[in-house]
């Protein structure tokens, strides 16, 4: 009998269309992904809701990590100072940038002055004796809050037994967002401490402390507006600042009377002490006149100038402490 011949059957491609992928899962580890991911992520031109939710969760985690990093950096700056034995954190406030214009014609750029340090808060730490409240610095703090976003905090050092309530709240109320340091440009920390002379520390890792209210006031004012470019005018401003702190604030009644006469004579020729523009000379002199108790007995031109200063609205923190 003839044998049956079995012809070999060659495998050929099946004509049935099978999906190229069995599971359509988005590739969250690669930006390229495969064809399945592309089909799944883009449905009718829109990103898949699951991918959106994942991205939102990732953004939230990164935000919290960033805030934690900024908080740790800020804490490290405080701990590396000799003032780590703080008893009490009293207040922390967000002072939003005011829409009202300042009295200064020329303002400064913080990055130009201090260098650009993305994501880092520039911390100003001031040690002050509660027996001698720095009125000038409170006025400058108010002005800084109009120019920048300032994180303001008051602490009490263990060397001080008690502090009056008005000193505890001198920088304003606590703000709900004070934990988010990345929202601010400047940190302004005032520590009430038993020190013989006011001290300021800034970028404590690479800058020595600045001592004396007059010198600290000069530093803070330069964050608001440049000093006069004219050397003679800049010297005039410095002269009035020194006169205010070393004669009005510290000398005898006779010397204070002499300073008031000089103020009266100068203010008879110009609206402000250094000419037509408001300056640090006016801030320092105003605060020292008030602190010395000479305001009520001051001559006519000085009385007019005191009212002009008060009309600017920057001196209310200083006046509150004297009430």
């Amino acid at each position: 009998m003839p044998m049956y011949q079995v012809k070999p059957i060659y495998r050929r491609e099946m004509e049935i269309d099978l999906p190229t992928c069995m599971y359509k899962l988005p590739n969250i580890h690669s930006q390229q992904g495969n064809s399945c991911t592309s089909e799944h992520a883009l449905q009718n031109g829109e990103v898949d809701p699951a991918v959106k939710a994942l991205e939102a969760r990732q953004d939230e985690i990164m935000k919290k990590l960033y805030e934690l990093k900024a908080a740790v950096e800020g804490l490290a700056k405080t701990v590396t100072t000799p003032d780590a034995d703080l008893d009490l954190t009293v207040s922390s406030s967000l002072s939003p940038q005011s829409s009202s214009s300042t009295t200064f014609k020329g303002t400064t750029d913080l990055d130009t002055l201090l260098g650009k340090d993305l994501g880092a808060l520039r911390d100003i730490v001031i040690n002050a004796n509660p027996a001698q409240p720095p009125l000038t610095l409170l006025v400058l703090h108010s002005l800084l809050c109009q120019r920048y976003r300032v994180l303001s905090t008051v602490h009490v050092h263990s060397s001080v037994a008690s502090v009056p309530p008005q000193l505890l709240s001198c920088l304003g109320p606590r703000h709900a967002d004070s934990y988010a340091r990345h929202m601010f440009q400047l940190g302004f920390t005032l520590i009430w401490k038993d020190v013989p002379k006011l001290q300021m520390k800034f970028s404590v890792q690479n800058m020595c402390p600045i001592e004396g209210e007059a010198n600290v006031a000069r530093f803070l004012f330069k964050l608001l507006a440049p000093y006069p470019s004219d050397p003679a005018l800049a010297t005039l401003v410095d002269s009035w600042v020194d006169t205010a702190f070393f004669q009005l604030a510290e000398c005898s009644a006779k010397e204070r009377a002499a300073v008031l006469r000089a103020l009266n004579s100068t203010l008879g020729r110009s609206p402000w002490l250094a000419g037509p523009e408001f300056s640090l000379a006016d801030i320092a002199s105003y605060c020292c006149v008030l602190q010395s108790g000479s305001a009520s007995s001051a001559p006519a031109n000085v009385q007019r100038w005191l009212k002009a200063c008060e009309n600017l609205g920057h001196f209310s923190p200083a006046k509150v402490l004297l009430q």
Side-chain angles (χ1 to χ4, degrees):
M1 293 182 63
M3 297 182 65
Y4 293 99
Q5 294 182 351
V6 179
K7 295 182 179 181
I9 301 176
Y10 297 97
R11 187 176 182 178
R12 57 179 179 171
E13 294 182 357
M14 299 181 69
E15 296 181 355
I16 302 175
D17 292 332
L18 293 177
T20 56
C21 294
M22 184 170 293
Y23 301 103
K24 296 182 179 181
L25 294 176
N27 188 345
I28 63 174
H29 301 289
S30 172
Q31 294 293 330
Q32 294 179 350
N34 54 27
S35 60
C36 296
T37 303
S38 301
E39 291 177 3
H40 187 79
L42 295 174
Q43 297 177 351
N44 298 324
E46 296 182 359
V47 179
D48 188 278
V51 177
K52 282 186 177 181
L54 186 61
E55 290 176 349
R57 178 174 172 77
Q58 183 181 13
D59 290 342
E60 183 66 24
I61 293 173
M62 292 303 296
K63 179 182 175 182
K64 290 181 178 179
L65 287 174
Y66 183 86
E67 292 174 357
L68 180 62
K69 176 177 178 292
V72 170
E73 289 175 352
L75 181 61
K77 291 180 181 179
T78 302
V79 171
T80 52
T81 72
D83 304 311
D85 54 337
L86 303 179
D87 300 86
L88 175 65
T89 299
V90 179
S91 65
S92 180
S93 64
L94 167 63
S95 301
Q97 194 169 351
S98 174
S99 58
S100 60
S101 60
T102 65
T103 56
F104 309 117
K105 291 185 178 179
T107 56
T108 56
D109 178 68
L110 203 60
D111 289 338
T112 302
L113 280 175
L114 306 177
K116 191 171 184 180
D117 193 2
L118 189 63
L121 186 68
R122 282 75 169 229
D123 280 299
I124 298 168
V125 181
I126 296 172
N127 295 325
N129 196 317
Q132 299 173 328
L135 301 185
T136 305
L137 304 192
L138 297 184
V139 175
L140 290 169
H141 169 264
S142 176
L143 288 165
L144 285 170
C145 290
Q146 292 189 13
R147 179 72 176 89
Y148 306 108
R149 296 186 301 277
V150 181
L151 176 60
S152 307
T153 313
V154 177
H155 297 279
V156 178
H157 192 264
S158 58
S159 60
V160 177
S162 62
V163 176
Q166 62 268 29
L167 295 184
L168 299 180
S169 59
C170 62
L171 298 186
R174 183 179 181 86
H175 193 277
D177 295 330
S178 60
Y179 69 91
R181 288 172 59 86
H182 69 280
M183 295 176 59
F184 305 88
Q185 295 171 286
L186 279 176
F188 195 102
T189 301
L190 178 59
I191 303 173
W192 295 117
K193 182 180 179 181
D194 186 11
V195 289
K197 186 180 293 185
L198 184 138
Q199 294 178 339
M200 189 204 80
K201 299 174 184 179
F202 181 83
S203 297
V204 292
Q205 295 179 351
N206 54 20
M207 178 178 172
C208 64
I210 297 176
E211 290 192 344
E213 187 172 344
N215 293 326
V216 174
R218 289 185 176 98
F219 176 88
L220 296 179
F221 186 82
K222 289 176 182 178
L223 300 182
L224 295 164
Y227 251 49
S229 56
D230 180 7
L233 190 55
T235 301
L236 178 61
V237 172
D238 281 331
S239 177
W240 278 117
V241 171
D242 288 338
T243 299
F245 284 107
F246 297 117
Q247 290 185 272
L248 271 176
E250 297 182 0
C251 290
S252 64
K254 183 177 179 180
E255 288 179 297
R256 283 200 297 269
V259 174
L260 289 173
R261 288 195 297 270
L263 285 170
N264 193 62
S265 176
T266 300
L267 294 168
R269 298 189 299 269
S270 62
W272 306 109
L273 290 176
E277 293 185 23
F278 180 80
S279 70
L280 180 61
D282 300 286
I283 296 175
S285 299
Y286 175 95
C287 291
C288 289
V289 167
L290 259 65
Q291 204 156 23
S292 67
S294 305
S296 59
S297 59
N301 292 332
V302 177
Q303 293 280 1
R304 174 189 54 77
W305 165 77
L306 289 172
K307 291 180 180 178
C309 289
E310 292 172 1
N311 288 337
L312 296 177
H314 309 313
F315 295 89
S316 56
K319 293 193 69 176
V320 168
L321 292 189
L322 296 178
Q323 291 176 353

